[in-house]
Amino acid sequence: MKISKKIKLGFLLILFVLILAGICQADTCKATYGNGTLSVKLATGSPGELGLLKELAKVFNREHNTSMCWIKAGSGKSLELLKNKKVDIAMVHAPAAEKQAVKDGWAIKRVLIGSNEFYIVGPKSDPAGIAYAKSAADAYARIAKSQSNFLSRGDNSGTNKKELAIWKKACIDPEGDWYEGNWYIITKTFMMATLKKADQINGYFMTDSSTWVAGKKDIKNLKVLFKGDPVLINTYHGLCQPVGNGKSQEFASKFIDFLASKQGQKIIGEYGKGLYGEAMYNDAEYAKQYNH
């Protein structure tokens, strides 16, 4: 059956609109905090999704008469937005990419602001036996050997970068020539959405501890099966535009200073206690022993 030119053109037009919408959405504020005269744009993932950024912005905006636009993006995308001068600040957990950004000169003030850690969660029956693993790489190897469902964000986020590094350490390519079946599932969604999907299909997933604390009350089929390997410690840094890049740069720089200040660190280190009975992040003093 031949496809008419009109149908082809219509399909191409729809595809173009979807791509354009995705590009525009990447630069759109997921939320705006405060109503100050000057807006600062910040890109991050889980700290925004879990409410930490809102608490930090509330205090900072009050003191500087600013407002803050949160653009929801994983670490890879957040750094890309910073590089392309679409945002003033990135709060990320991708150490190698962060260092390269500073080295290349399009980001400054890489400051350690805190940490959480990754948990490998999975079905309570643990068909891959990762509860007995000796390392994160061993846990991944067991999952691959059993071909149990494993969910990957597959989005170049800090989590995805860490996941791929662990597969590499285990000498496994989950999409290599030996790959059979469909146990390796790419979601292209953020942390909480992927965690909930893993719960729905009884799959393994590497979630950050903060998301687990916030979401575990709604998780019915999964439990934390592996944690504690130092490679799973997740350090966060703040970076901003170099001096002279936009009228918001001065306040972006001040926000980085605020994150590292005693006041900012208190908010980070205590966030979650009131909501969940336990802190969701460690402060920079704790995180520096794992900083790299």
Side-chain angles (χ1 to χ4, degrees), residues 1 23 34 73 124 151 196 246 248:
M1 182 179 68
I23 292 171
K124 295 175 182 178
L151 283 79
K196 289 179 178 180
S248 300

Side-chain angles (χ1 to χ4, degrees), residues 27-217:
D27 299 340
T28 302
C29 301
K30 177 71 175 179
T32 299
Y33 309 120
N35 53 9
T37 56
L38 189 142
S39 176
V40 178
K41 290 186 176 181
L42 186 151
T44 194
S46 292
E49 191 174 56
L50 300 176
L52 172 61
L53 177 61
K54 182 178 181 180
E55 292 302 305
L56 290 164
K58 181 169 65 177
V59 175
F60 182 81
N61 288 333
R62 187 169 61 236
E63 296 180 356
H64 295 88
N65 191 30
T66 50
S67 63
M68 186 160 290
C69 157
W70 166 42
I71 295 177
K72 185 175 180 179
S75 291
K77 184 62 179 178
S78 292
L79 289 171
E80 180 184 330
L81 290 168
L82 188 68
K83 182 177 183 179
N84 292 331
K85 301 180 182 180
K86 299 293 187 181
V87 298
D88 305 298
I89 309 168
M91 285 173 55
V92 292
H93 55 110
E98 296 161 19
K99 290 179 181 179
Q100 190 63 47
V102 174
K103 183 179 180 181
D104 291 345
W106 51 264
I108 65 169
K109 297 190 76 165
R110 179 177 180 257
V111 173
L112 179 67
I113 59 175
S115 69
N116 55 16
E117 62 182 300
F118 287 115
Y119 296 156
I120 305 177
V121 301
K124 295 175 182 178
S125 60
D126 190 18
I130 71 167
Y132 303 101
K134 297 180 180 178
S135 66
D138 182 23
Y140 273 33
R142 289 168 181 254
I143 293 169
K145 184 177 181 179
S146 68
Q147 294 200 0
S148 301
N149 284 340
F150 179 91
L151 283 79
S152 169
R153 285 175 57 178
D155 59 356
N156 197 36
S157 61
T159 301
N160 186 217
K161 290 175 185 290
K162 176 72 74 171
E163 176 217 321
L164 295 176
I166 295 172
W167 283 120
K168 185 175 181 179
K169 194 171 183 179
C171 300
I172 292 172
D173 178 356
E175 293 184 295
D177 293 337
W178 62 272
Y179 173 75
E180 295 178 4
N182 57 357
W183 61 272
Y184 187 76
I185 302 164
I186 296 175
T187 67
K188 294 289 186 180
T189 57
F190 280 85
M191 192 73 84
M192 187 67 79
T194 303
L195 176 61
K196 289 179 178 180
K197 178 68 175 177
D199 188 50
Q200 291 171 5
I201 67 171
N202 273 305
Y204 289 94
F205 176 54
M206 187 177 72
T207 181
D208 67 41
S209 54
S210 305
T211 301
W212 180 256
V213 168
K216 64 181 179 181
K217 67 181 185 300

